[in-house]
């Protein structure tokens, strides 16, 4: 499972919640690209879209 380190203040947007691009529930968190997304949603997305050794 992917574990993202979002302790950096750049991952928190003080201007307010926006809908998560994955689950659409409100979140103040932002991805590295500035998209609103929950950390757990991003981790699950990475797991679903990563090529595993068995898949290669």
């Amino acid at each position: 499972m992917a574990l993202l380190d979002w302790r950096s203040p750049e991952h928190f947007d003080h201007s307010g919640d926006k809908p998560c691009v994955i689950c659409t529930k409100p979140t103040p968190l932002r991805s590295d690209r500035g998209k609103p997304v929950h950390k757990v949603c991003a981790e699950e997305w990475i797991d679903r879209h990563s090529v595993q050794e068995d898949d290669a």
Side-chain angles (χ1 to χ4, degrees):
M1 176 172 186
L3 293 176
L4 300 172
D5 180 1
W6 281 11
R7 291 179 280 187
S8 169
E10 291 84 32
H11 290 287
F12 188 84
D13 187 347
H14 294 279
S15 68
D17 291 353
K18 293 190 177 166
C20 173
V21 295
I22 297 173
C23 75
T24 69
K25 294 180 182 172
T27 181
L29 298 175
R30 301 296 183 261
S31 70
D32 289 343
R33 296 182 179 178
K35 302 290 184 185
V37 65
H38 296 103
K39 180 179 178 285
V40 69
C41 289
E43 291 168 342
E44 288 176 5
W45 188 93
I46 290 168
D47 283 344
R48 285 193 313 258
H49 293 90
S50 294
V51 176
Q52 303 296 321
E53 286 184 29
D54 296 339
D55 296 341

